[in-house]
Amino acid sequence: MSVTDEELAEQREAGNRLGAPSRLRVVAGRFFGSFQGRAGFALLALMFLLAFAGPFLGRWSYTDRDFTAFLAPPSADHWWGTLQTGADVYAVTLRGMRRSLVVGLLAAVVGTTLAAVVGAFAGYFAGWTDRALTWATDLLLVLPAFLILAVMSPLFASGQWPLFVLVLALFLWMVTSKIVRGVTISLREREFVHAARFMGVRPTTIIFRHILPNMSSLLVVDATLNVSAAILTETSLSYFGFGIQPPDVSLGSLIADGTRTALYAPWTFWFCAGLLVVTVLAVNMVGDSLRDAFDPASGRGRR
Amino acid sequence: MKGYGGLRAESAGRPGTGRAARDDPAEPPGPVLEVTDLHVTFGAGAGAVRAVRGVSYAVRPGEVLGVVGESGSGKSVTSLAVMGLLPPHARVTGSVRLHGREILGADEKTLSAVRGGTISMVFQDPLSALTPVYRVGDQIAEAVRIHRRVSRRDAARRAVELLDLVGIPDAARRARAFPHEFSGGMRQRVMIAMAIANDPDVLLCDEPTTALDVTVQAQVLEVLRRARRETGAAIVLITHDLGVVAGFADRVMVMYAGRPVEAGTVDDVYLRPRMPYTAGLLAAVPRLDAAERPVPIEGAPPSPAALPPGCPFEPRCPLAVPACSAAEPALEPVGSPGHLAACIRAEEIEAAGGAPLAVRPPGALPAETGAEVAAGVLPASGVPPVAAGVPEEPGGRAAPPPRRDREVVLAVDGLVRHYPLTKGTLLRRRIGTVQAVDGVSFDVRERETLALVGESGCGKTTTLMEILRLARPQRGTVTVLGRDTAALGARDRMAIRRDLQVVFQDPMASLDPRMTVYDIVAEPLRTHGVRRPGPRVRELLRLVGLEPGHAARHPQDFSGGQRQRVGIARALALEPRLVVLDEPVSALDVSIRAGVLDLLADLKARLGLSYLFVAHDLAVVRHLADRVAVMYLGVIAEIGRVERVYAAPLHPYTRALLSAVPVPDPGAERSRRHILLEGDLPSPADPPSGCRFRTRCPLFRMLNGAEQARCVGERPPLRMLDDDHAASCHFAERSGAI
Amino acid sequence: MAGFLFRRLLNYLALIAVATSLAYALAATALNPRANYEGRNPPIPPAVVDARLAELNLDDRTPLPERYLRWASGVVRGDFGRTVTGGSVNQDLGRRIGVTLRLITAGLLLGSVTGVLVGAYAAVRQYGPFDRLATGVSFAVLAVPTVVLANILIIAAVWFNYLVGAHVFLVSGEATPGMPGGFAAQAADRLRHLVLPTLSLSLGLAAVYSRYQRNMMLDVLGADFVRTAMAKGLRRRTALVRHALRTALIPAVTYFAFTFGALLVGTTFTEKIFGWHGMGEQLVNSISANDVNTVAAISCFAALAVLAAALASDLMQAVLDPRVRMGADR
Ligand code: SF4
Ligand code: SF4
């Protein structure tokens, strides 16, 4: 065999693929190549812009009360109308959205990280580690999350929302963790993991260097979808008064107030409900497009 | 290329072979299936993939046409296109005539009436090709009932008949089993039974034996022969295995880059190839019956999305001349009637009268280039190139000292590995013990290659994993480089890992797809405390014949052969003394395989390595190993020097195994005697008493009662029968009788 | 085999016990039943409050372990204690359990069947108009939380009733109390109550299932065995229904266990908003009312329900999948 000749031939062949784009760029290309991805991303960006820059445009702050206008319909003065208390709907809604977005994002990141670590350790080490971790996972699956969160709600009194985020995350990770565990078990038998093991690489290093990176697509997609799950849970809790506590507001508490007046003052309900729906929709669209972008086989053009 | 209907029936008659069932040899019947100028394109525009570019062939009743090609040559797509089973986004043009009736582009009604009736297909992977949730009997009965108005009961009875026909024992009971309860070979029989359920006129077989072991492959080919006799169907056999075609087909068509490049009778194509690719392919196949080392074809097949303008083989062709890249050569007659080749120099080759590629191109011998690289590169690493204490002969080519004087690098003694066998997911229970490895002993000495061969389920991979674990085995001992693995501390184990490295089967699976080649090769170095692995990585890449400049790429950007080279570079990073090779070439295409084998042989000689080589392909083993151990059902059946074992096998199993490997030479393959083993591998959870091979042993059947009782009652020990040649059979001396 | 089943049930029992105990401990710490008696007019004497709380085993001055033991010994005998108003938790929840089960069953059946059918058909006609529509609608539905969806349904129903000038949809309760008329009238009345809550519960479920089933179906559409079925001579449609759908149902059944928890939460919201007097409504109420024992009992019920769903999904899987039934673990 001639190493040099084959090298030449292979180089020529490799020449066709030169500039092989990095994986990130491929994924980004596919993501933005789909309408759904573009639309989802644009909507989400818009929502963030609105939540964080929007309040500076309005004339009212979310703590202000306009005692000249109770439950007033949208006008030049109050763009989205006012509530029964005289609060400006535009200001409070954006404030609530900001809180919901932050809570959702943080809870999703914490939850997915937890899921990844617990699932990977359970799957990789098997035996007692696996049994203990799986049992804990099952326990949390069996505990009614909504009830626990609701019971603990007095602890989340004003200013304690980071605690709320943590507890929320604690109930978000179980299903993902089970999936991660399954994927880990199959990855553990893959040859490149064997190779690392037979090379003498330490187990924890293998988990963080070979196992978790190889399911990054799963984790990214899952984190995205967890954002919407967290936002929805937060909203529902707050709707019943068990989530974000007054005087802080979130979309959920606003919607709860709005439903009471929705029939005769639609603006108190539809603006916050609409923004919530659009936000979750955008997050879901991004998540779904990401999944397709990471794994083209899951979407179009399977052979 | 224009549709050259060259492979027509009239030019392809092979009178007097008597191998095809023909009613009247004087007047051959017309073709049953006629494919003309078939093109298949996936996608459109610049990214369009032209998977098939002008395929034409015809087959007559009872005739077998072999379609040979490497992966990506378009051979499977062709058959799916004929069946009309390609996904809708594939564009198919040309003509497919079945009994003279055009079926390409016919409506679904017409197509579903002929599919499974007049023309049927056997798929490659019988596990995924059978619906997992239905009983196999029902699946066959369904095929019957689609095309015939028969009662459910009659269809079921017919299904049992068919299962019986394809050689499934106890067919009535097995018809009620589900696909996952069958072994691979049995599943493929079920597929064949389903395909012949309605007496088809044409049987398309897409790699029907690729997923099977050789002895099972021989059985399945026998079933196909029987199916042809029973139905009189024409068979189109699609495969990458030149040996299978040589013994089974009447005519053969070689495909490359989506089109036929050579076609003709099996004898013409195999003995007088006129297209350099065919010749190269034949020379690249490791052969069981020849001592010559296989010769690789340089490079890799072109991507179907980016074909060169002229002859698609031009970048790899040793005979290429500038005119080759002008236009794609047409498939034209050459030499004897019916022999076609697509090469502008075919006439010249014909005139020169021979296959020009069967010799290594001068100046490209690995010994020379290899020595240069070794001399130029290895000292730069600042470490001795070979394990200390062994002086390197110039060029690494001189014969090593005799075996008994060399150090033992690996000794396995009485190794046992049993697994619990559980059943059920919902109600899990332990139902037995899988005796995966049950008392295996062998040793590997410095600078020697021991091959562990056997079919799936023989325990070779388990043995290897047990060695690599470097932990205390369930029973027996494993001694690596003089250290007993049962007594190793964490630090010692780490030290031994430096000297013991592994190359895996599937280079795609064994390289982390998220890492660059640089990081992959550097990982063992970093793990063992090398701070700046850069220079060593570059040196290693060059050593295995890769461009160091490509280190920043990911494994996906390389071809299969190159990826395996990365895997080899990684294994060599720490200058090991013993390298374990787990089927290192079985995932690679034939034309690339020989190159990797050459590299391995070359590295071994230059670096003084010892190899433990696990493989199922006996032909590959012959060309790389010094010694071979044949395993069967967790025990070693025979062990000894390769030349001896291959020339004069002592164990009946080795004999059967060797005879089952097809040879890519039609004459030899037809005249060889095949020992057909019966039945399946017994379950390793319930191995036969006494000799584990007795349920399938052909010699056992020739013994008298008392002798048979010995096989049943007494486990045959591994007996040394000759100098370094041992077999575990009570009657090994008489195995020549079978 | 029996041993394995036994171990599994034992494990379930342990999970339920630990989960319920945890819920009790949390509720007993975080909730404050004493607050129910504060700020009354006229004020209730502290001694009376103490006596009342002690009687109900809700006295926060008794150490938690002691209260737990008293509660647990009751639970072991099948008695979940008293509500804050002094009634029996068992009786109260016994009344409500039927309501919840009726709602869940209706929602689950409608949701899963619709979802599976829509998803399978969308996959077969991938990128066809139906697929696009189904995808769009399910995305929209998934983005609407149950609380919002329920309220939108109520608003729409009120508007619709106003439009047609009759009470077609009824938005509160399970049946009109004291409704006269025979069986037909009763049934019609119940149906008019049932429509909206069932919709609010099953829409989300159907959306989830349709997405999941679509993916599962797409996975098997390209499977080799579907190709084999067509190579046998089956039409594409028949091959898809007989071979692909049947196989793709298996993962959907597994998925059921995962969605069940979410279904319970959805039921809670639906009951509360539509005023059905079920367990879910009581859950929200009991937290507001600091009703520790009821909270613990409902957790126990929820844990039991989730595990029952897991077991049911395993059983269904065994029925559908011979590989699980025969269990050739390779
Ligand atoms: S046409 Fe030229 S390049 Fe192609 S096979 Fe013939 S000699 Fe080689
Ligand atoms: S011992 Fe008996 S059964 Fe075994 S291989 Fe020898 S002859 Fe055959």
Side-chain angles (χ1 to χ4, degrees), chain C residues 112-142:
Chain C
S112 53
V113 171
T114 320
V116 165
L117 289 182
V118 168
Y121 191 71
V124 173
R125 295 283 156 86
Q126 197 186 5
Y127 302 122
F130 182 83
D131 182 29
R132 284 177 198 284
L133 184 74
T135 302
V137 170
S138 58
F139 262 108
V141 170
L142 283 178

mmCIF file of all heavy atoms in Angstrom, chain C residues 112-142:
data_model
loop_
_atom_site.group_PDB
_atom_site.id
_atom_site.type_symbol
_atom_site.label_atom_id
_atom_site.label_comp_id
_atom_site.label_asym_id
_atom_site.label_seq_id
_atom_site.Cartn_x
_atom_site.Cartn_y
_atom_site.Cartn_z
ATOM 1 N N SER C 112 -56.938 11.213 24.232
ATOM 2 C CA SER C 112 -55.936 10.314 23.665
ATOM 3 C C SER C 112 -56.372 9.762 22.319
ATOM 4 O O SER C 112 -55.582 9.696 21.374
ATOM 5 C CB SER C 112 -55.617 9.190 24.650
ATOM 6 O OG SER C 112 -56.798 8.558 25.041
ATOM 7 N N VAL C 113 -57.646 9.422 22.195
ATOM 8 C CA VAL C 113 -58.094 8.862 20.925
ATOM 9 C C VAL C 113 -57.978 9.915 19.816
ATOM 10 O O VAL C 113 -57.405 9.661 18.744
ATOM 11 C CB VAL C 113 -59.541 8.325 21.046
ATOM 12 C CG1 VAL C 113 -60.066 7.946 19.680
ATOM 13 C CG2 VAL C 113 -59.561 7.140 21.982
ATOM 14 N N THR C 114 -58.502 11.112 20.086
ATOM 15 C CA THR C 114 -58.374 12.168 19.079
ATOM 16 C C THR C 114 -56.917 12.410 18.744
ATOM 17 O O THR C 114 -56.536 12.503 17.571
ATOM 18 C CB THR C 114 -58.971 13.490 19.621
ATOM 19 O OG1 THR C 114 -60.144 13.201 20.329
ATOM 20 C CG2 THR C 114 -59.250 14.452 18.479
ATOM 21 N N GLY C 115 -56.101 12.529 19.793
ATOM 22 C CA GLY C 115 -54.689 12.847 19.562
ATOM 23 C C GLY C 115 -54.003 11.801 18.705
ATOM 24 O O GLY C 115 -53.328 12.125 17.732
ATOM 25 N N VAL C 116 -54.208 10.531 19.045
ATOM 26 C CA VAL C 116 -53.535 9.467 18.303
ATOM 27 C C VAL C 116 -53.992 9.458 16.842
ATOM 28 O O VAL C 116 -53.177 9.379 15.921
ATOM 29 C CB VAL C 116 -53.807 8.101 18.973
ATOM 30 C CG1 VAL C 116 -53.443 6.969 18.053
ATOM 31 C CG2 VAL C 116 -53.021 7.994 20.271
ATOM 32 N N LEU C 117 -55.303 9.598 16.650
ATOM 33 C CA LEU C 117 -55.809 9.571 15.270
ATOM 34 C C LEU C 117 -55.266 10.747 14.463
ATOM 35 O O LEU C 117 -54.759 10.591 13.349
ATOM 36 C CB LEU C 117 -57.341 9.593 15.274
ATOM 37 C CG LEU C 117 -57.976 8.297 15.765
ATOM 38 C CD1 LEU C 117 -59.481 8.380 15.697
ATOM 39 C CD2 LEU C 117 -57.482 7.124 14.917
ATOM 40 N N VAL C 118 -55.359 11.936 15.058
ATOM 41 C CA VAL C 118 -54.881 13.130 14.342
ATOM 42 C C VAL C 118 -53.398 12.999 14.033
ATOM 43 O O VAL C 118 -52.957 13.238 12.908
ATOM 44 C CB VAL C 118 -55.152 14.396 15.189
ATOM 45 C CG1 VAL C 118 -54.404 15.588 14.623
ATOM 46 C CG2 VAL C 118 -56.640 14.690 15.230
ATOM 47 N N GLY C 119 -52.633 12.566 15.047
ATOM 48 C CA GLY C 119 -51.190 12.458 14.843
ATOM 49 C C GLY C 119 -50.843 11.447 13.763
ATOM 50 O O GLY C 119 -50.010 11.705 12.899
ATOM 51 N N ALA C 120 -51.508 10.290 13.787
ATOM 52 C CA ALA C 120 -51.190 9.262 12.801
ATOM 53 C C ALA C 120 -51.530 9.741 11.397
ATOM 54 O O ALA C 120 -50.737 9.587 10.459
ATOM 55 C CB ALA C 120 -51.977 7.985 13.125
ATOM 56 N N TYR C 121 -52.704 10.364 11.260
ATOM 57 C CA TYR C 121 -53.096 10.802 9.930
ATOM 58 C C TYR C 121 -52.164 11.916 9.440
ATOM 59 O O TYR C 121 -51.755 11.929 8.276
ATOM 60 C CB TYR C 121 -54.545 11.293 9.943
ATOM 61 C CG TYR C 121 -55.084 11.518 8.563
ATOM 62 C CD1 TYR C 121 -55.359 10.432 7.740
ATOM 63 C CD2 TYR C 121 -55.285 12.794 8.066
ATOM 64 C CE1 TYR C 121 -55.830 10.616 6.464
ATOM 65 C CE2 TYR C 121 -55.756 12.987 6.780
ATOM 66 C CZ TYR C 121 -56.031 11.893 5.980
ATOM 67 O OH TYR C 121 -56.475 12.079 4.711
ATOM 68 N N ALA C 122 -51.789 12.812 10.351
ATOM 69 C CA ALA C 122 -50.895 13.904 9.962
ATOM 70 C C ALA C 122 -49.560 13.341 9.485
ATOM 71 O O ALA C 122 -48.965 13.843 8.524
ATOM 72 C CB ALA C 122 -50.685 14.859 11.137
ATOM 73 N N ALA C 123 -49.093 12.289 10.148
ATOM 74 C CA ALA C 123 -47.796 11.731 9.755
ATOM 75 C C ALA C 123 -47.876 11.096 8.375
ATOM 76 O O ALA C 123 -46.973 11.238 7.558
ATOM 77 C CB ALA C 123 -47.352 10.691 10.784
ATOM 78 N N VAL C 124 -48.966 10.394 8.119
ATOM 79 C CA VAL C 124 -49.107 9.742 6.815
ATOM 80 C C VAL C 124 -49.120 10.786 5.701
ATOM 81 O O VAL C 124 -48.520 10.613 4.648
ATOM 82 C CB VAL C 124 -50.388 8.895 6.789
ATOM 83 C CG1 VAL C 124 -50.634 8.354 5.395
ATOM 84 C CG2 VAL C 124 -50.277 7.762 7.774
ATOM 85 N N ARG C 125 -49.816 11.861 5.959
ATOM 86 C CA ARG C 125 -49.851 12.952 4.979
ATOM 87 C C ARG C 125 -48.890 14.055 5.409
ATOM 88 O O ARG C 125 -49.296 15.203 5.538
ATOM 89 C CB ARG C 125 -51.265 13.530 4.892
ATOM 90 C CG ARG C 125 -52.267 12.571 4.363
ATOM 91 C CD ARG C 125 -52.111 12.462 2.850
ATOM 92 N NE ARG C 125 -52.629 11.190 2.389
ATOM 93 C CZ ARG C 125 -53.909 10.969 2.081
ATOM 94 N NH1 ARG C 125 -54.761 11.941 2.176
ATOM 95 N NH2 ARG C 125 -54.294 9.787 1.682
ATOM 96 N N GLN C 126 -47.647 13.686 5.667
ATOM 97 C CA GLN C 126 -46.714 14.676 6.179
ATOM 98 C C GLN C 126 -46.596 15.863 5.226
ATOM 99 O O GLN C 126 -46.465 15.676 4.013
ATOM 100 C CB GLN C 126 -45.341 14.034 6.366
ATOM 101 C CG GLN C 126 -44.452 14.845 7.264
ATOM 102 C CD GLN C 126 -43.041 14.276 7.312
ATOM 103 O OE1 GLN C 126 -42.733 13.340 6.601
ATOM 104 N NE2 GLN C 126 -42.198 14.855 8.131
ATOM 105 N N TYR C 127 -46.673 17.057 5.793
ATOM 106 C CA TYR C 127 -46.598 18.318 5.042
ATOM 107 C C TYR C 127 -47.791 18.541 4.138
ATOM 108 O O TYR C 127 -47.785 19.456 3.332
ATOM 109 C CB TYR C 127 -45.301 18.423 4.245
ATOM 110 C CG TYR C 127 -44.093 18.320 5.144
ATOM 111 C CD1 TYR C 127 -43.134 17.351 4.963
ATOM 112 C CD2 TYR C 127 -43.971 19.174 6.224
ATOM 113 C CE1 TYR C 127 -42.068 17.232 5.813
ATOM 114 C CE2 TYR C 127 -42.907 19.072 7.089
ATOM 115 C CZ TYR C 127 -41.953 18.094 6.883
ATOM 116 O OH TYR C 127 -40.909 17.980 7.737
ATOM 117 N N GLY C 128 -48.818 17.715 4.280
ATOM 118 C CA GLY C 128 -50.057 18.012 3.574
ATOM 119 C C GLY C 128 -50.823 19.069 4.349
ATOM 120 O O GLY C 128 -50.423 19.465 5.444
ATOM 121 N N PRO C 129 -51.945 19.528 3.787
ATOM 122 C CA PRO C 129 -52.716 20.579 4.466
ATOM 123 C C PRO C 129 -53.184 20.143 5.851
ATOM 124 O O PRO C 129 -53.133 20.929 6.796
ATOM 125 C CB PRO C 129 -53.901 20.822 3.533
ATOM 126 C CG PRO C 129 -53.764 19.902 2.386
ATOM 127 C CD PRO C 129 -52.482 19.160 2.487
ATOM 128 N N PHE C 130 -53.610 18.872 5.967
ATOM 129 C CA PHE C 130 -54.093 18.437 7.269
ATOM 130 C C PHE C 130 -52.977 18.477 8.304
ATOM 131 O O PHE C 130 -53.166 18.931 9.431
ATOM 132 C CB PHE C 130 -54.653 17.016 7.176
ATOM 133 C CG PHE C 130 -55.202 16.530 8.480
ATOM 134 C CD1 PHE C 130 -56.481 16.867 8.882
ATOM 135 C CD2 PHE C 130 -54.428 15.752 9.332
ATOM 136 C CE1 PHE C 130 -56.989 16.436 10.092
ATOM 137 C CE2 PHE C 130 -54.922 15.325 10.545
ATOM 138 C CZ PHE C 130 -56.210 15.662 10.924
ATOM 139 N N ASP C 131 -51.806 18.022 7.882
ATOM 140 C CA ASP C 131 -50.666 18.016 8.803
ATOM 141 C C ASP C 131 -50.354 19.432 9.264
ATOM 142 O O ASP C 131 -50.156 19.692 10.444
ATOM 143 C CB ASP C 131 -49.459 17.388 8.102
ATOM 144 C CG ASP C 131 -48.244 17.305 9.006
ATOM 145 O OD1 ASP C 131 -48.443 17.196 10.231
ATOM 146 O OD2 ASP C 131 -47.116 17.347 8.503
ATOM 147 N N ARG C 132 -50.318 20.354 8.303
ATOM 148 C CA ARG C 132 -50.006 21.734 8.670
ATOM 149 C C ARG C 132 -51.035 22.296 9.633
ATOM 150 O O ARG C 132 -50.705 22.930 10.639
ATOM 151 C CB ARG C 132 -49.947 22.604 7.412
ATOM 152 C CG ARG C 132 -48.678 22.374 6.641
ATOM 153 C CD ARG C 132 -48.630 23.180 5.364
ATOM 154 N NE ARG C 132 -47.630 22.630 4.478
ATOM 155 C CZ ARG C 132 -46.332 22.811 4.640
ATOM 156 N NH1 ARG C 132 -45.887 23.552 5.640
ATOM 157 N NH2 ARG C 132 -45.461 22.270 3.821
ATOM 158 N N LEU C 133 -52.306 22.028 9.329
ATOM 159 C CA LEU C 133 -53.374 22.530 10.179
ATOM 160 C C LEU C 133 -53.245 21.926 11.581
ATOM 161 O O LEU C 133 -53.266 22.638 12.588
ATOM 162 C CB LEU C 133 -54.725 22.162 9.569
ATOM 163 C CG LEU C 133 -55.917 22.730 10.328
ATOM 164 C CD1 LEU C 133 -56.025 24.220 10.071
ATOM 165 C CD2 LEU C 133 -57.201 22.026 9.920
ATOM 166 N N ALA C 134 -53.066 20.599 11.630
ATOM 167 C CA ALA C 134 -52.984 19.931 12.922
ATOM 168 C C ALA C 134 -51.791 20.456 13.711
ATOM 169 O O ALA C 134 -51.877 20.692 14.919
ATOM 170 C CB ALA C 134 -52.857 18.420 12.728
ATOM 171 N N THR C 135 -50.675 20.636 13.022
ATOM 172 C CA THR C 135 -49.496 21.155 13.702
ATOM 173 C C THR C 135 -49.771 22.541 14.262
ATOM 174 O O THR C 135 -49.492 22.825 15.427
ATOM 175 C CB THR C 135 -48.313 21.208 12.723
ATOM 176 O OG1 THR C 135 -48.086 19.904 12.202
ATOM 177 C CG2 THR C 135 -47.058 21.701 13.413
ATOM 178 N N GLY C 136 -50.365 23.384 13.429
ATOM 179 C CA GLY C 136 -50.653 24.753 13.870
ATOM 180 C C GLY C 136 -51.577 24.759 15.075
ATOM 181 O O GLY C 136 -51.285 25.394 16.099
ATOM 182 N N VAL C 137 -52.658 24.002 14.974
ATOM 183 C CA VAL C 137 -53.631 24.001 16.063
ATOM 184 C C VAL C 137 -53.011 23.441 17.333
ATOM 185 O O VAL C 137 -53.170 24.006 18.417
ATOM 186 C CB VAL C 137 -54.879 23.173 15.666
ATOM 187 C CG1 VAL C 137 -55.777 22.960 16.863
ATOM 188 C CG2 VAL C 137 -55.630 23.880 14.555
ATOM 189 N N SER C 138 -52.241 22.340 17.197
ATOM 190 C CA SER C 138 -51.701 21.766 18.427
ATOM 191 C C SER C 138 -50.678 22.708 19.055
ATOM 192 O O SER C 138 -50.606 22.816 20.270
ATOM 193 C CB SER C 138 -51.111 20.380 18.173
ATOM 194 O OG SER C 138 -50.108 20.456 17.213
ATOM 195 N N PHE C 139 -49.936 23.400 18.214
ATOM 196 C CA PHE C 139 -49.005 24.376 18.796
ATOM 197 C C PHE C 139 -49.762 25.460 19.556
ATOM 198 O O PHE C 139 -49.392 25.844 20.659
ATOM 199 C CB PHE C 139 -48.161 25.023 17.696
ATOM 200 C CG PHE C 139 -46.824 24.382 17.558
ATOM 201 C CD1 PHE C 139 -46.519 23.596 16.473
ATOM 202 C CD2 PHE C 139 -45.875 24.547 18.543
ATOM 203 C CE1 PHE C 139 -45.294 22.982 16.362
ATOM 204 C CE2 PHE C 139 -44.647 23.942 18.436
ATOM 205 C CZ PHE C 139 -44.362 23.161 17.347
ATOM 206 N N ALA C 140 -50.831 25.932 18.945
ATOM 207 C CA ALA C 140 -51.609 26.982 19.595
ATOM 208 C C ALA C 140 -52.173 26.466 20.915
ATOM 209 O O ALA C 140 -52.049 27.117 21.950
ATOM 210 C CB ALA C 140 -52.730 27.439 18.672
ATOM 211 N N VAL C 141 -52.742 25.262 20.887
ATOM 212 C CA VAL C 141 -53.352 24.732 22.100
ATOM 213 C C VAL C 141 -52.309 24.531 23.194
ATOM 214 O O VAL C 141 -52.526 24.859 24.361
ATOM 215 C CB VAL C 141 -54.069 23.398 21.798
ATOM 216 C CG1 VAL C 141 -54.489 22.718 23.082
ATOM 217 C CG2 VAL C 141 -55.274 23.650 20.917
ATOM 218 N N LEU C 142 -51.133 24.025 22.779
ATOM 219 C CA LEU C 142 -50.090 23.761 23.773
ATOM 220 C C LEU C 142 -49.608 25.046 24.423
ATOM 221 O O LEU C 142 -49.051 25.021 25.513
ATOM 222 C CB LEU C 142 -48.915 23.038 23.120
ATOM 223 C CG LEU C 142 -49.151 21.563 22.850
ATOM 224 C CD1 LEU C 142 -47.954 20.950 22.160
ATOM 225 C CD2 LEU C 142 -49.417 20.843 24.162
#
